[in-house]
Amino acid sequence: QDSTPSHSIALALAGSPPSCPSAMIYICKAACMPCKACSTCSKSVNECCAWVSNLFGHITQNPLGGYVIGTWCAMGVVLVCMAYTASKVTCDEPTMAVFYVDIGLTGVHSGFAYYIQRQLVYALGDVPPNTMSHSEIAAKARHIMLHDIGFCLYFFLFGASFFYNCTVFDSFRNCEGTGPAWIAAALMIFYGFGIFNYVICWFACQCCCGAFEPSKQQPAAGGVIMGAPASAAR
């Protein structure tokens, strides 16, 4: 048996696997970990978006969905600003009343936005809104505006809310730290102006689009279309 140093070194090298390829494999796996993490994160985001879509689908997939979601977002900002100001500052009673009145109005506006959409969806019945004509939707909306007691009461409250917030800025001058309240009152005024124009434009678009839609022709009883037979025309 050859026991020379060179023979021992050769046997040692032959018995041990090369370490470089193994190290490269682990390095490549480490490099792929951010990609796997990104894929997992993307999957989680998609699942979260799907959950939110299912949660608000009955709102966003029906007429006035943008109005409802926009109202909730705007009133959420007003609520946070007014509640924060009311908890941080000490003013006279009339000024403190402004904070609480606007906090109450956020609930009224938010509740009515959801209420009026549900009324319209109920009026449309079981027919999907995307299969109805613009003129049919406009007719249902017109009926609600003329006959729904909730809409009639809110009409006057909506105007009162707008003009009330136009007059509250002078009361904020007597208190320090009412900056968020200024923002909230300004947002309430902008909301009133914006929603008023939104409703007019929405209803006008429904009516105008309905005017250019082809009329639906109803077939005769039994599905037979009345008219002269083809042989009579010859």
Side-chain angles (χ1 to χ4, degrees), residues 73-86 98-106 109 161-162 164-166 168-169 172 177-192:
C73 292
M75 293 303 105
V77 175
V78 174
L79 175 63
V80 171
C81 291
M82 283 300 187
Y84 176 82
T85 305
V98 172
F99 304 148
Y100 298 123
V101 168
D102 270 349
I103 289 174
L105 287 174
T106 60
H109 289 312
S161 172
F162 175 80
Y164 174 76
N165 279 276
C166 290
V168 300
F169 294 102
F172 296 157
T178 56
W182 282 77
I183 296 174
L187 183 56
M188 289 290 279
I189 295 173
F190 179 77
Y191 172 81

Side-chain angles (χ1 to χ4, degrees), residues 81-104 164 168 170-178 181:
C81 291
M82 283 300 187
Y84 176 82
T85 305
S87 64
K88 294 296 182 181
V89 303
T90 302
C91 304
D92 53 5
E93 286 298 325
T95 304
M96 296 299 295
V98 172
F99 304 148
Y100 298 123
V101 168
D102 270 349
I103 289 174
Y164 174 76
V168 300
D170 286 337
S171 60
F172 296 157
R173 301 178 187 273
N174 302 325
C175 295
E176 296 292 336
T178 56

Side-chain angles (χ1 to χ4, degrees), residues 57-169:
H58 69 289
I59 296 175
T60 59
Q61 296 174 9
N62 282 301
L64 299 178
Y67 161 63
V68 177
I69 299 299
T71 297
W72 287 358
C73 292
M75 293 303 105
V77 175
V78 174
L79 175 63
V80 171
C81 291
M82 283 300 187
Y84 176 82
T85 305
S87 64
K88 294 296 182 181
V89 303
T90 302
C91 304
D92 53 5
E93 286 298 325
T95 304
M96 296 299 295
V98 172
F99 304 148
Y100 298 123
V101 168
D102 270 349
I103 289 174
L105 287 174
T106 60
V108 173
H109 289 312
S110 299
F112 177 80
Y114 185 76
Y115 164 81
I116 197 65
Q117 189 200 41
R118 292 300 95 194
Q119 290 297 99
L120 181 58
V121 171
Y122 177 77
L124 297 178
D126 296 331
V127 182
N130 56 357
T131 63
M132 299 188 68
S133 65
H134 293 280
S135 58
E136 291 173 332
I137 296 176
K140 299 295 183 180
R142 187 185 301 109
H143 179 80
I144 293 174
M145 293 178 183
L146 295 177
H147 299 91
D148 186 76
I149 185 63
F151 179 87
C152 295
L153 294 176
Y154 179 76
F155 177 83
F156 296 101
L157 184 61
F158 179 85
S161 172
F162 175 80
F163 290 109
Y164 174 76
N165 279 276
C166 290
T167 63
V168 300
F169 294 102

Side-chain angles (χ1 to χ4, degrees), residues 4-104:
T4 59
S6 60
H7 183 68
S8 300
I9 293 172
L11 290 176
L13 292 175
S16 61
S19 59
C20 184
S22 299
M24 290 298 297
I25 290 175
Y26 288 110
I27 291 174
C28 292
K29 288 183 177 180
C32 293
M33 288 180 66
C35 296
K36 292 182 178 180
C38 183
S39 177
T40 303
C41 181
S42 177
K43 182 179 179 181
S44 301
V45 171
N46 291 335
E47 292 177 352
C48 181
C49 291
W51 179 81
V52 173
S53 177
N54 293 331
L55 180 63
F56 295 101
H58 69 289
I59 296 175
T60 59
Q61 296 174 9
N62 282 301
L64 299 178
Y67 161 63
V68 177
I69 299 299
T71 297
W72 287 358
C73 292
M75 293 303 105
V77 175
V78 174
L79 175 63
V80 171
C81 291
M82 283 300 187
Y84 176 82
T85 305
S87 64
K88 294 296 182 181
V89 303
T90 302
C91 304
D92 53 5
E93 286 298 325
T95 304
M96 296 299 295
V98 172
F99 304 148
Y100 298 123
V101 168
D102 270 349
I103 289 174

Side-chain angles (χ1 to χ4, degrees), residues 214-228:
S215 59
K216 295 182 179 180
Q217 297 181 354
Q218 299 294 336
V224 179
I225 300 176
M226 304 300 295

